[in-house]
PDB file of all heavy atoms in Angstrom:
ATOM      1  N   SER A 219       2.518 -12.667   1.812  1.00 92.00           N
ATOM      2  CA  SER A 219       2.875 -13.484   0.639  1.00 92.00           C
ATOM      3  C   SER A 219       1.827 -13.388  -0.463  1.00 92.00           C
ATOM      4  O   SER A 219       2.143 -13.754  -1.622  1.00 92.00           O
ATOM      5  CB  SER A 219       3.089 -14.912   1.067  1.00 92.00           C
ATOM      6  OG  SER A 219       1.857 -15.498   1.474  1.00 92.00           O
ATOM      7  N   ILE A 220       0.614 -12.874  -0.187  1.00 96.00           N
ATOM      8  CA  ILE A 220      -0.400 -12.854  -1.259  1.00 96.00           C
ATOM      9  C   ILE A 220      -0.968 -11.484  -1.567  1.00 96.00           C
ATOM     10  O   ILE A 220      -1.676 -11.315  -2.522  1.00 96.00           O
ATOM     11  CB  ILE A 220      -1.592 -13.782  -0.956  1.00 96.00           C
ATOM     12  CG1 ILE A 220      -2.350 -13.302   0.297  1.00 96.00           C
ATOM     13  CG2 ILE A 220      -1.117 -15.235  -0.747  1.00 96.00           C
ATOM     14  CD1 ILE A 220      -3.768 -13.928   0.343  1.00 96.00           C
ATOM     15  N   SER A 221      -0.670 -10.482  -0.728  1.00 96.00           N
ATOM     16  CA  SER A 221      -1.420  -9.182  -0.836  1.00 96.00           C
ATOM     17  C   SER A 221      -1.045  -8.411  -2.085  1.00 96.00           C
ATOM     18  O   SER A 221      -0.075  -8.697  -2.778  1.00 96.00           O
ATOM     19  CB  SER A 221      -1.118  -8.373   0.390  1.00 96.00           C
ATOM     20  OG  SER A 221       0.177  -7.819   0.315  1.00 96.00           O
ATOM     21  N   HIS A 222      -1.853  -7.347  -2.321  1.00 97.00           N
ATOM     22  CA  HIS A 222      -1.554  -6.347  -3.358  1.00 97.00           C
ATOM     23  C   HIS A 222      -0.162  -5.798  -3.226  1.00 97.00           C
ATOM     24  O   HIS A 222       0.579  -5.646  -4.185  1.00 97.00           O
ATOM     25  CB  HIS A 222      -2.605  -5.237  -3.261  1.00 97.00           C
ATOM     26  CG  HIS A 222      -2.806  -4.690  -1.852  1.00 97.00           C
ATOM     27  ND1 HIS A 222      -3.033  -5.517  -0.752  1.00 97.00           N
ATOM     28  CD2 HIS A 222      -2.742  -3.461  -1.345  1.00 97.00           C
ATOM     29  CE1 HIS A 222      -3.123  -4.790   0.310  1.00 97.00           C
ATOM     30  NE2 HIS A 222      -2.976  -3.522  -0.002  1.00 97.00           N
ATOM     31  N   ARG A 223       0.231  -5.526  -1.984  1.00 94.00           N
ATOM     32  CA  ARG A 223       1.598  -4.983  -1.741  1.00 94.00           C
ATOM     33  C   ARG A 223       2.641  -6.033  -2.043  1.00 94.00           C
ATOM     34  O   ARG A 223       3.670  -5.744  -2.654  1.00 94.00           O
ATOM     35  CB  ARG A 223       1.647  -4.552  -0.267  1.00 94.00           C
ATOM     36  CG  ARG A 223       2.887  -3.775   0.131  1.00 94.00           C
ATOM     37  CD  ARG A 223       2.721  -2.999   1.466  1.00 94.00           C
ATOM     38  NE  ARG A 223       1.694  -1.967   1.327  1.00 94.00           N
ATOM     39  CZ  ARG A 223       0.473  -2.047   1.798  1.00 94.00           C
ATOM     40  NH1 ARG A 223       0.080  -3.100   2.529  1.00 94.00           N
ATOM     41  NH2 ARG A 223      -0.399  -1.082   1.636  1.00 94.00           N
ATOM     42  N   ALA A 224       2.390  -7.306  -1.668  1.00 93.00           N
ATOM     43  CA  ALA A 224       3.301  -8.384  -1.980  1.00 93.00           C
ATOM     44  C   ALA A 224       3.511  -8.541  -3.472  1.00 93.00           C
ATOM     45  O   ALA A 224       4.622  -8.763  -3.933  1.00 93.00           O
ATOM     46  CB  ALA A 224       2.819  -9.679  -1.369  1.00 93.00           C
ATOM     47  N   LYS A 225       2.371  -8.417  -4.234  1.00 96.00           N
ATOM     48  CA  LYS A 225       2.511  -8.534  -5.719  1.00 96.00           C
ATOM     49  C   LYS A 225       3.294  -7.439  -6.325  1.00 96.00           C
ATOM     50  O   LYS A 225       4.108  -7.640  -7.206  1.00 96.00           O
ATOM     51  CB  LYS A 225       1.100  -8.622  -6.325  1.00 96.00           C
ATOM     52  CG  LYS A 225       0.404  -9.938  -5.991  1.00 96.00           C
ATOM     53  CD  LYS A 225      -0.981  -9.974  -6.602  1.00 96.00           C
ATOM     54  CE  LYS A 225      -1.711 -11.231  -6.263  1.00 96.00           C
ATOM     55  NZ  LYS A 225      -3.155 -11.107  -6.560  1.00 96.00           N
ATOM     56  N   ALA A 226       3.064  -6.200  -5.827  1.00 96.00           N
ATOM     57  CA  ALA A 226       3.846  -5.080  -6.369  1.00 96.00           C
ATOM     58  C   ALA A 226       5.314  -5.259  -5.977  1.00 96.00           C
ATOM     59  O   ALA A 226       6.225  -4.991  -6.785  1.00 96.00           O
ATOM     60  CB  ALA A 226       3.294  -3.772  -5.795  1.00 96.00           C
ATOM     61  N   PHE A 227       5.523  -5.759  -4.745  1.00 92.00           N
ATOM     62  CA  PHE A 227       6.886  -6.026  -4.288  1.00 92.00           C
ATOM     63  C   PHE A 227       7.600  -7.054  -5.099  1.00 92.00           C
ATOM     64  O   PHE A 227       8.789  -6.951  -5.348  1.00 92.00           O
ATOM     65  CB  PHE A 227       6.811  -6.468  -2.821  1.00 92.00           C
ATOM     66  CG  PHE A 227       7.465  -5.483  -1.939  1.00 92.00           C
ATOM     67  CD1 PHE A 227       6.789  -4.424  -1.424  1.00 92.00           C
ATOM     68  CD2 PHE A 227       8.849  -5.622  -1.668  1.00 92.00           C
ATOM     69  CE1 PHE A 227       7.424  -3.494  -0.633  1.00 92.00           C
ATOM     70  CE2 PHE A 227       9.471  -4.711  -0.861  1.00 92.00           C
ATOM     71  CZ  PHE A 227       8.779  -3.628  -0.346  1.00 92.00           C
ATOM     72  N   ALA A 228       6.876  -8.141  -5.505  1.00 93.00           N
ATOM     73  CA  ALA A 228       7.453  -9.181  -6.299  1.00 93.00           C
ATOM     74  C   ALA A 228       8.028  -8.590  -7.582  1.00 93.00           C
ATOM     75  O   ALA A 228       9.096  -8.967  -8.030  1.00 93.00           O
ATOM     76  CB  ALA A 228       6.469 -10.248  -6.550  1.00 93.00           C
ATOM     77  N   LYS A 229       7.270  -7.601  -8.151  1.00 94.00           N
ATOM     78  CA  LYS A 229       7.770  -6.971  -9.403  1.00 94.00           C
ATOM     79  C   LYS A 229       9.016  -6.168  -9.117  1.00 94.00           C
ATOM     80  O   LYS A 229       9.944  -6.158  -9.867  1.00 94.00           O
ATOM     81  CB  LYS A 229       6.690  -6.066  -9.998  1.00 94.00           C
ATOM     82  CG  LYS A 229       5.526  -6.896 -10.520  1.00 94.00           C
ATOM     83  CD  LYS A 229       4.467  -6.022 -11.164  1.00 94.00           C
ATOM     84  CE  LYS A 229       3.244  -6.832 -11.537  1.00 94.00           C
ATOM     85  NZ  LYS A 229       2.074  -6.027 -11.776  1.00 94.00           N
TER      86      LYS A 229
END
Side-chain angles (χ1 to χ4, degrees):
S219 67
I220 66 163
S221 75
H222 48 309
R223 189 161 294 105
K225 289 179 183 167
F227 244 87
K229 291 182 188 163

